[in-house]
Amino acid sequence: MNKKLLLSFSCLSILLAGCIVDVVEQNTERMAYGNGKNLSSVFFDASIVREAFSVQGGSTDSLIANGTFSLWAPGSGTASSIAQNVNLYWSIDTLHQANDTLQGKLFAYASGPGQELLSIDKMAVTVPRKIHLSVVAGSTDVSVHGMTGDTYFEGGSSNIDFTTAGRITMQTSSGKITGSTDLGGSAISTSGAINVTLTSKSFEGIFVKDSTGNVNLHIPEGVGVSFFLVAYGGYVNLSYDKVSQSGSGVQVNVNGGGKVVRVETGTGNITVSN
Amino acid sequence: MKRYLFLLTILVLFPIKGIGQMAGNTSRTWANILSVDVNLAFGPNATATWDPSIGFRLQVHDHFRVGIGDVSYGSADLLSGTRHAIMGGPVVEYLAPVSSELSYSITAGVPLQNRWGASIPHTFGAAPYGSAALDYHFSQIFSLAGMLRVQYLATEAYLRSPRVLPSSSVIIAFGLGFHFYL
């Protein structure tokens, strides 16, 4: 009797387990427009975006945001009613900032009942390409493309891919950092792989640090570079402008030296090439 | 409809109690229990929601324990920011041995929840539940349990990471329990 009971219980568990009954998901989209003229920087908190956050540099002064929101409600009628309360808008702080340091922010909010049930699934924004961009994320993947201003990014397990003509300052814990920059900057991760391409011979220098992740760095040919490459528990492989060196550490001037390329890893491997 | 499903499930599960009483002797060395539980349920679009928790129950009778359960923290990312929640509430457990290694139990609890953050005022929630567990005793001090929980959201909303669920939702969750006998 007990065996039958246990068997029945196990079957019931498997059949019924793991579902939430009578909850529907509804998605709704909102767009927001703003004027980014005289804007020097823009800040985004991407940590509350559940899936993906993307930034595109635009040739005009327009600020455009396109958000996809989702909500869980007891029925589609209730969901539609709650979805009407979603608002998305740009804010530019002209009160506390001088005209040449205006900062823009994007805000989303919901009024009325059901505001706890709403989340942001995706957000895509277009900002003037020349401004300074700051993005903070937790685990949301972020992409930044078409910027010419400097880009600051801070994430946890977020992956970031980017293309910018400006400088980068990027830091993650386990997220991957992948992209290209004209001017260089710094990229730091604890365990995420770092793949950075310097796209201009006029880059200023670059600092890359990783603990357990691998680092791949590409540099345009014909630049005078001073390399400082150290992998404390990994392997360094330098192959740049007919100079090839490898080992646990490489320090060499190529083409007479000059611009500093410093890469440090713990157990991760370092590969630097054209 | 959801209320009826909740009540029906409870009614189906509770007859086990009577059979458990026939299993007889519960004079084992385990008594009070420290539990570390986690349960999982999928919402729309296969979104996984989960609820890890700890609890402590005192044995007050051969077949009964009472205590505090579902002590937990959770968070959900809303459009206005991150909403946080702490939970915990009274628990009553009926238990019965099946063999020297197996036992099963029926638990009823009322976790109470306090939510804050995301520019939304503090809110309280409650989600009573009934659960059935089958424990395999690896030793005198430890057992691993498979659990089925049916939970009803009795208040306006209830946070279950990573989402906030609406009122009247019914959660049917499968879980694992790590039980330490003190």
Side-chain angles (χ1 to χ4, degrees), chain A residues 98-172:
Chain A
N99 263 345
D100 56 346
T101 59
L102 289 179
Q103 186 183 62
K105 280 187 179 180
L106 181 65
F107 288 95
Y109 76 97
S111 55
Q115 55 186 326
E116 282 190 283
L117 308 177
L118 282 153
S119 297
I120 308 173
D121 278 1
K122 297 174 187 171
M123 185 66 70
V125 300
T126 302
V127 298
R129 63 175 56 150
K130 62 178 187 264
I131 65 173
H132 178 98
L133 173 68
S134 295
V135 181
V136 174
S139 57
T140 308
D141 288 347
V142 172
S143 69
V144 175
H145 294 286
M147 298 298 293
T148 58
D150 297 345
T151 300
Y152 173 85
F153 173 75
E154 184 181 328
S157 57
S158 309
N159 300 315
I160 179 165
D161 71 284
F162 62 94
T163 55
T164 177
R167 299 172 193 85
I168 59 166
T169 305
M170 298 184 170
Q171 183 161 3
T172 68

Side-chain angles (χ1 to χ4, degrees), chain A residues 18-21 25 116 119, chain B residues 42 45 77 83 115 170 172:
Chain A
C19 62
I20 299 172
V21 180
E25 182 174 76
E116 282 190 283
S119 297
Chain B
F42 290 92
N45 283 338
D77 290 330
R83 189 79 162 152
R115 300 189 300 279
V170 173
I172 303 170

Side-chain angles (χ1 to χ4, degrees), chain A residues 103-274:
Chain A
Q103 186 183 62
K105 280 187 179 180
L106 181 65
F107 288 95
Y109 76 97
S111 55
Q115 55 186 326
E116 282 190 283
L117 308 177
L118 282 153
S119 297
I120 308 173
D121 278 1
K122 297 174 187 171
M123 185 66 70
V125 300
T126 302
V127 298
R129 63 175 56 150
K130 62 178 187 264
I131 65 173
H132 178 98
L133 173 68
S134 295
V135 181
V136 174
S139 57
T140 308
D141 288 347
V142 172
S143 69
V144 175
H145 294 286
M147 298 298 293
T148 58
D150 297 345
T151 300
Y152 173 85
F153 173 75
E154 184 181 328
S157 57
S158 309
N159 300 315
I160 179 165
D161 71 284
F162 62 94
T163 55
T164 177
R167 299 172 193 85
I168 59 166
T169 305
M170 298 184 170
Q171 183 161 3
T172 68
S173 55
S174 59
K176 296 176 184 172
I177 299 174
T178 307
S180 61
T181 166
D182 278 8
L183 296 181
S186 67
I188 300 171
S189 180
T190 304
S191 60
I194 299 176
N195 294 286
V196 175
T197 301
L198 296 166
T199 45
S200 170
K201 291 182 178 180
S202 59
F203 73 90
E204 297 169 346
I206 189 162
F207 172 65
V208 181
K209 185 176 182 182
D210 209 322
S211 181
T212 58
N214 294 330
V215 174
N216 280 286
L217 184 61
H218 298 280
I219 302 170
E221 61 185 12
V223 183
V225 182
S226 299
F227 288 102
F228 300 90
L229 314 175
V230 182
Y232 294 101
Y235 197 74
V236 178
N237 193 341
L238 171 68
S239 176
Y240 177 73
D241 275 10
K242 297 178 183 175
V243 174
S244 293
Q245 291 196 18
S246 57
S248 60
V250 170
Q251 182 173 340
V252 64
N253 290 330
V254 180
N255 298 328
K259 297 180 179 180
V260 175
V261 172
R262 182 182 294 276
V263 184
E264 297 176 15
T265 64
T267 55
N269 298 321
I270 300 171
T271 304
V272 178
S273 61
N274 289 111

